[in-house]
Amino acid sequence: ELKYDGTSISLTYEDGKLVRAVTRGDGEKGDDVTDNVKTIRSIPLQLHGNYPKSFEIRGEIYMPYAAFERLNSQRESEGETPFANPRNAASGSLKLLDSNLVSERGLECTLYHVIAPDMNFKTHTEALEAARMWGLPVSDLSKECESIDEVIKYIELWDIERKKLPFATDGIVIKVN
């Protein structure tokens, strides 16, 4: 999987409704950013399909390059200091007190880890496919590899192709399926 360069997020759904969104924070206590996350268009407030009664899903909130450039241009025209990079802009945006401003920032989300004890997924891929079926944003750039040679080819491909993406990445994550 590509490692999106953004800010970590943990979403909790109960009865198919988004009820909580929390950042990683300091590793022990994160910030509750639920109201702001609800303004991100790619994150569904209500799921569909055969989702579990309650579950958590983790991922990354990121700012595409076009939104980052637009935001920095606006900040400069208003005499404010521009953000150093899209990751800082995404993180700072999630902490804003005005959710309306967050909705204008163009944030996106990709989710990559389902924590649903009631669902007995046999593989990581199966869990992500279920999340996709529920309407959650899961990357379509991931690849299930059958050998270390396939893993190496995937890494080599994305070492070049990542430069063409409309968002920042900062590596590749290799997971055991």
Side-chain angles (χ1 to χ4, degrees):
E1 299 174 3
L2 297 180
K3 184 173 180 311
Y4 287 63
D5 192 12
T7 188
S8 294
I9 196 72
S10 176
L11 306 177
T12 301
Y13 282 84
E14 293 179 5
D15 296 318
K17 290 184 174 54
L18 177 63
V19 295
R20 190 170 34 265
V22 183
T23 65
R24 180 173 44 212
D26 62 8
E28 299 218 2
K29 184 178 181 204
D31 296 315
D32 186 325
V33 292
T34 306
D35 289 340
N36 288 344
V37 165
K38 285 181 175 181
T39 71
I40 299 172
R41 289 172 186 82
S42 58
I43 298 176
L45 303 180
Q46 175 66 53
L47 302 178
H48 55 268
N50 186 25
Y51 48 80
K53 181 166 180 50
S54 178
F55 73 98
E56 180 181 349
I57 187 162
R58 295 181 184 162
E60 203 82 4
I61 303 283
Y62 64 96
M63 183 175 284
Y65 291 130
F68 174 69
E69 291 165 10
R70 190 172 50 249
L71 174 61
N72 269 351
S73 178
Q74 176 186 349
R75 289 177 67 87
E76 288 173 342
S77 71
E78 294 171 355
E80 294 182 42
T81 305
F83 284 103
N85 55 55
R87 180 179 1 125
N88 289 0
S91 179
S93 296
L94 282 180
K95 295 177 184 176
L96 289 171
L97 297 177
D98 185 348
S99 294
N100 291 321
L101 289 175
V102 178
S103 71
E104 297 170 3
R105 294 276 173 107
L107 296 174
E108 293 292 336
C109 179
T110 188
L111 300 167
Y112 53 72
H113 184 69
V114 179
I115 303 167
D118 294 343
M119 303 290 284
N120 293 315
F121 298 116
K122 291 184 173 113
T123 66
H124 174 69
T125 301
E126 183 182 340
L128 291 182
E129 284 306 313
R132 186 187 319 274
M133 297 297 285
W134 304 331
L136 292 160
V138 174
S139 175
D140 58 357
L141 303 175
S142 299
K143 177 174 175 38
E144 187 176 328
C145 298
E146 299 293 328
S147 70
I148 192 64
D149 289 336
E150 283 186 44
V151 171
I152 291 168
K153 285 179 186 171
Y154 182 83
I155 292 169
E156 289 170 345
L157 169 75
W158 285 107
D159 186 42
I160 296 165
E161 293 299 312
R162 68 183 173 85
K163 296 172 181 103
K164 300 175 187 173
L165 293 171
F167 51 85
T169 62
D170 58 352
I172 292 185
V173 179
I174 301 170
K175 296 180 178 179
V176 176
N177 198 28

